[in-house]
Amino acid sequence: FMATIHAQMHKARQDAAQQHVHVSDAVLPAVIRQTARNGRLLCLDEFQVTDVADALILQRLFTGLWQQEGCIVVATSNRAPTDLYLGGLQRDRFLPFIDLLQESCQEVSMWDSAVDYRLIQKVESGQVPRLWFVGTAGLQKFEDF
């Protein structure tokens, strides 16, 4: 997703320069419009932030997608929103995006469910890995876990 955003930003910079428009004012609005034209429902699987450039773009990008274009975002992640970009460079500048996510999105934790939906297809196909325990103590430790 972000590779596409960066490519769109590069093209928007080139277009703005050719039209003699102030480049910094034109880039992100053009990217927001183009992203929304491609689809107003954004589905991001395994959403994570690992790059400082991405971290600094996301708040303005998502604000525009939500407020100007009315986009809807559905994302999965192995991290809670508060843990995104944890330990990243200039993370303090990323924290407003986390606030925006928490204000604009409904967080649903898989840990709140009694069903691990990731395993359903494996169970139905018979591809669930087998667990073997040596003695009852190992099984008891597993069940206690």
Side-chain angles (χ1 to χ4, degrees):
F1 174 73
M2 288 307 293
T4 301
I5 296 300
H6 286 287
Q8 289 175 355
M9 290 177 73
H10 178 72
K11 183 176 182 331
R13 277 189 205 93
Q14 291 176 328
D15 293 348
Q18 288 176 352
Q19 297 170 6
H20 304 292
V21 176
H22 193 271
V23 174
S24 64
D25 294 338
V27 172
L28 209 50
V31 170
I32 291 166
R33 284 190 304 274
Q34 179 60 42
T35 302
R37 271 196 296 269
N38 290 337
R40 299 231 161 144
L41 173 62
L42 301 174
C43 299
L44 306 172
D45 189 28
E46 298 295 337
F47 183 68
Q48 62 179 335
V49 182
T50 58
D51 181 79
V52 66
D54 295 346
L56 298 176
I57 293 167
L58 284 169
Q59 182 179 3
R60 293 181 300 153
L61 176 67
F62 276 74
T63 297
L65 290 171
W66 285 327
Q67 294 177 358
Q68 297 165 15
E69 301 294 336
C71 291
I72 296 169
V73 176
V74 176
T76 65
S77 181
N78 288 329
R79 295 180 177 264
T82 54
D83 292 341
L84 288 171
Y85 198 52
L86 199 59
L89 294 173
Q90 299 182 23
R91 186 169 190 264
D92 58 314
R93 295 184 62 194
F94 181 74
L95 294 177
F97 178 64
I98 292 174
D99 294 338
L100 178 68
L101 280 177
Q102 292 179 313
E103 292 167 11
S104 304
C105 299
Q106 177 182 355
E107 180 182 349
V108 178
S109 173
M110 66 175 244
W111 302 114
D112 294 340
S113 175
V115 177
D116 187 342
Y117 291 95
R118 299 170 298 176
L119 295 178
I120 288 177
Q121 185 178 9
K122 287 184 177 184
V123 168
E124 291 173 352
S125 69
Q127 295 178 354
V128 177
R130 294 182 182 185
L131 299 176
W132 301 95
F133 298 97
V134 177
T136 57
L139 175 61
Q140 186 62 47
K141 285 181 183 180
F142 178 76
E143 288 176 349
D144 291 344
F145 176 69

mmCIF file of all heavy atoms in Angstrom, residues 121-140:
data_model
loop_
_atom_site.group_PDB
_atom_site.id
_atom_site.type_symbol
_atom_site.label_atom_id
_atom_site.label_comp_id
_atom_site.label_asym_id
_atom_site.label_seq_id
_atom_site.Cartn_x
_atom_site.Cartn_y
_atom_site.Cartn_z
ATOM 1 N N GLN A 121 -10.186 -22.531 8.574
ATOM 2 C CA GLN A 121 -9.891 -23.179 7.302
ATOM 3 C C GLN A 121 -8.959 -24.370 7.497
ATOM 4 O O GLN A 121 -9.122 -25.403 6.867
ATOM 5 C CB GLN A 121 -9.280 -22.180 6.318
ATOM 6 C CG GLN A 121 -9.060 -22.780 4.948
ATOM 7 C CD GLN A 121 -8.494 -21.771 3.965
ATOM 8 O OE1 GLN A 121 -8.118 -20.680 4.340
ATOM 9 N NE2 GLN A 121 -8.438 -22.149 2.706
ATOM 10 N N LYS A 122 -7.991 -24.239 8.390
ATOM 11 C CA LYS A 122 -7.082 -25.351 8.644
ATOM 12 C C LYS A 122 -7.821 -26.535 9.250
ATOM 13 O O LYS A 122 -7.571 -27.677 8.898
ATOM 14 C CB LYS A 122 -5.949 -24.907 9.568
ATOM 15 C CG LYS A 122 -4.942 -24.022 8.888
ATOM 16 C CD LYS A 122 -3.808 -23.697 9.824
ATOM 17 C CE LYS A 122 -2.768 -22.855 9.110
ATOM 18 N NZ LYS A 122 -1.620 -22.597 9.971
ATOM 19 N N VAL A 123 -8.749 -26.257 10.162
ATOM 20 C CA VAL A 123 -9.510 -27.338 10.792
ATOM 21 C C VAL A 123 -10.369 -28.041 9.747
ATOM 22 O O VAL A 123 -10.404 -29.266 9.665
ATOM 23 C CB VAL A 123 -10.379 -26.797 11.953
ATOM 24 C CG1 VAL A 123 -11.371 -27.847 12.416
ATOM 25 C CG2 VAL A 123 -9.499 -26.340 13.102
ATOM 26 N N GLU A 124 -11.052 -27.237 8.910
ATOM 27 C CA GLU A 124 -11.930 -27.820 7.898
ATOM 28 C C GLU A 124 -11.153 -28.629 6.860
ATOM 29 O O GLU A 124 -11.659 -29.595 6.316
ATOM 30 C CB GLU A 124 -12.750 -26.716 7.223
ATOM 31 C CG GLU A 124 -13.777 -26.116 8.157
ATOM 32 C CD GLU A 124 -14.487 -24.906 7.572
ATOM 33 O OE1 GLU A 124 -14.087 -24.425 6.492
ATOM 34 O OE2 GLU A 124 -15.447 -24.439 8.204
ATOM 35 N N SER A 125 -9.923 -28.243 6.585
ATOM 36 C CA SER A 125 -9.124 -28.959 5.583
ATOM 37 C C SER A 125 -8.296 -30.089 6.199
ATOM 38 O O SER A 125 -7.631 -30.819 5.487
ATOM 39 C CB SER A 125 -8.191 -27.978 4.864
ATOM 40 O OG SER A 125 -7.194 -27.528 5.752
ATOM 41 N N GLY A 126 -8.309 -30.183 7.509
ATOM 42 C CA GLY A 126 -7.525 -31.210 8.178
ATOM 43 C C GLY A 126 -6.052 -30.874 8.293
ATOM 44 O O GLY A 126 -5.236 -31.750 8.548
ATOM 45 N N GLN A 127 -5.687 -29.602 8.121
ATOM 46 C CA GLN A 127 -4.284 -29.204 8.145
ATOM 47 C C GLN A 127 -3.834 -28.659 9.495
ATOM 48 O O GLN A 127 -2.806 -28.014 9.590
ATOM 49 C CB GLN A 127 -4.022 -28.139 7.079
ATOM 50 C CG GLN A 127 -4.222 -28.635 5.682
ATOM 51 C CD GLN A 127 -3.995 -27.526 4.672
ATOM 52 O OE1 GLN A 127 -3.790 -26.380 5.021
ATOM 53 N NE2 GLN A 127 -4.036 -27.878 3.400
ATOM 54 N N VAL A 128 -4.584 -28.920 10.528
ATOM 55 C CA VAL A 128 -4.195 -28.438 11.849
ATOM 56 C C VAL A 128 -2.998 -29.237 12.332
ATOM 57 O O VAL A 128 -3.003 -30.468 12.279
ATOM 58 C CB VAL A 128 -5.365 -28.586 12.855
ATOM 59 C CG1 VAL A 128 -4.947 -28.162 14.233
ATOM 60 C CG2 VAL A 128 -6.555 -27.787 12.381
ATOM 61 N N PRO A 129 -1.962 -28.548 12.769
ATOM 62 C CA PRO A 129 -0.793 -29.299 13.253
ATOM 63 C C PRO A 129 -1.155 -30.110 14.496
ATOM 64 O O PRO A 129 -1.948 -29.675 15.317
ATOM 65 C CB PRO A 129 0.224 -28.203 13.580
ATOM 66 C CG PRO A 129 -0.531 -26.934 13.623
ATOM 67 C CD PRO A 129 -1.797 -27.124 12.858
ATOM 68 N N ARG A 130 -0.559 -31.256 14.589
ATOM 69 C CA ARG A 130 -0.824 -32.118 15.741
ATOM 70 C C ARG A 130 0.139 -31.773 16.858
ATOM 71 O O ARG A 130 1.296 -31.434 16.623
ATOM 72 C CB ARG A 130 -0.660 -33.578 15.347
ATOM 73 C CG ARG A 130 -1.687 -34.011 14.348
ATOM 74 C CD ARG A 130 -1.512 -35.462 14.026
ATOM 75 N NE ARG A 130 -2.491 -35.834 13.018
ATOM 76 C CZ ARG A 130 -2.652 -37.057 12.603
ATOM 77 N NH1 ARG A 130 -1.919 -38.030 13.085
ATOM 78 N NH2 ARG A 130 -3.546 -37.331 11.690
ATOM 79 N N LEU A 131 -0.347 -31.874 18.061
ATOM 80 C CA LEU A 131 0.474 -31.644 19.243
ATOM 81 C C LEU A 131 0.683 -32.973 19.955
ATOM 82 O O LEU A 131 -0.257 -33.733 20.149
ATOM 83 C CB LEU A 131 -0.217 -30.665 20.195
ATOM 84 C CG LEU A 131 -0.493 -29.271 19.638
ATOM 85 C CD1 LEU A 131 -1.265 -28.448 20.650
ATOM 86 C CD2 LEU A 131 0.800 -28.580 19.265
ATOM 87 N N TRP A 132 1.905 -33.216 20.332
ATOM 88 C CA TRP A 132 2.247 -34.448 21.031
ATOM 89 C C TRP A 132 2.874 -34.069 22.363
ATOM 90 O O TRP A 132 3.712 -33.183 22.440
ATOM 91 C CB TRP A 132 3.229 -35.283 20.222
ATOM 92 C CG TRP A 132 2.694 -35.653 18.865
ATOM 93 C CD1 TRP A 132 2.899 -35.000 17.696
ATOM 94 C CD2 TRP A 132 1.841 -36.745 18.563
ATOM 95 N NE1 TRP A 132 2.243 -35.615 16.670
ATOM 96 C CE2 TRP A 132 1.576 -36.698 17.172
ATOM 97 C CE3 TRP A 132 1.257 -37.769 19.313
ATOM 98 C CZ2 TRP A 132 0.779 -37.624 16.532
ATOM 99 C CZ3 TRP A 132 0.467 -38.691 18.666
ATOM 100 C CH2 TRP A 132 0.232 -38.614 17.302
ATOM 101 N N PHE A 133 2.466 -34.748 23.392
ATOM 102 C CA PHE A 133 2.987 -34.491 24.727
ATOM 103 C C PHE A 133 3.587 -35.778 25.288
ATOM 104 O O PHE A 133 3.056 -36.858 25.080
ATOM 105 C CB PHE A 133 1.870 -34.011 25.663
ATOM 106 C CG PHE A 133 1.259 -32.723 25.220
ATOM 107 C CD1 PHE A 133 0.091 -32.704 24.476
ATOM 108 C CD2 PHE A 133 1.863 -31.514 25.531
ATOM 109 C CE1 PHE A 133 -0.454 -31.514 24.054
ATOM 110 C CE2 PHE A 133 1.322 -30.317 25.111
ATOM 111 C CZ PHE A 133 0.159 -30.320 24.362
ATOM 112 N N VAL A 134 4.671 -35.591 25.999
ATOM 113 C CA VAL A 134 5.298 -36.725 26.651
ATOM 114 C C VAL A 134 4.876 -36.674 28.113
ATOM 115 O O VAL A 134 5.240 -35.753 28.839
ATOM 116 C CB VAL A 134 6.835 -36.664 26.521
ATOM 117 C CG1 VAL A 134 7.475 -37.820 27.276
ATOM 118 C CG2 VAL A 134 7.233 -36.676 25.056
ATOM 119 N N GLY A 135 4.059 -37.633 28.504
ATOM 120 C CA GLY A 135 3.582 -37.673 29.893
ATOM 121 C C GLY A 135 2.464 -36.665 30.130
ATOM 122 O O GLY A 135 2.211 -35.766 29.336
ATOM 123 N N THR A 136 1.801 -36.811 31.250
ATOM 124 C CA THR A 136 0.670 -35.939 31.571
ATOM 125 C C THR A 136 1.114 -34.574 32.062
ATOM 126 O O THR A 136 0.356 -33.607 31.974
ATOM 127 C CB THR A 136 -0.226 -36.608 32.634
ATOM 128 O OG1 THR A 136 0.574 -36.896 33.787
ATOM 129 C CG2 THR A 136 -0.868 -37.876 32.097
ATOM 130 N N ALA A 137 2.344 -34.423 32.546
ATOM 131 C CA ALA A 137 2.813 -33.129 33.047
ATOM 132 C C ALA A 137 2.909 -32.109 31.906
ATOM 133 O O ALA A 137 2.530 -30.948 32.066
ATOM 134 C CB ALA A 137 4.169 -33.281 33.738
ATOM 135 N N GLY A 138 3.387 -32.533 30.743
ATOM 136 C CA GLY A 138 3.480 -31.628 29.596
ATOM 137 C C GLY A 138 2.112 -31.176 29.128
ATOM 138 O O GLY A 138 1.887 -30.011 28.831
ATOM 139 N N LEU A 139 1.168 -32.112 29.088
ATOM 140 C CA LEU A 139 -0.200 -31.779 28.688
ATOM 141 C C LEU A 139 -0.816 -30.817 29.693
ATOM 142 O O LEU A 139 -1.461 -29.836 29.323
ATOM 143 C CB LEU A 139 -1.046 -33.053 28.566
ATOM 144 C CG LEU A 139 -2.522 -32.851 28.278
ATOM 145 C CD1 LEU A 139 -2.717 -32.125 26.952
ATOM 146 C CD2 LEU A 139 -3.249 -34.195 28.253
ATOM 147 N N GLN A 140 -0.601 -31.044 30.961
ATOM 148 C CA GLN A 140 -1.160 -30.179 32.000
ATOM 149 C C GLN A 140 -0.596 -28.773 31.892
ATOM 150 O O GLN A 140 -1.315 -27.780 32.008
ATOM 151 C CB GLN A 140 -0.907 -30.746 33.404
ATOM 152 C CG GLN A 140 -1.592 -29.958 34.509
ATOM 153 C CD GLN A 140 -3.109 -29.971 34.349
ATOM 154 O OE1 GLN A 140 -3.723 -31.008 34.120
ATOM 155 N NE2 GLN A 140 -3.712 -28.796 34.434
#
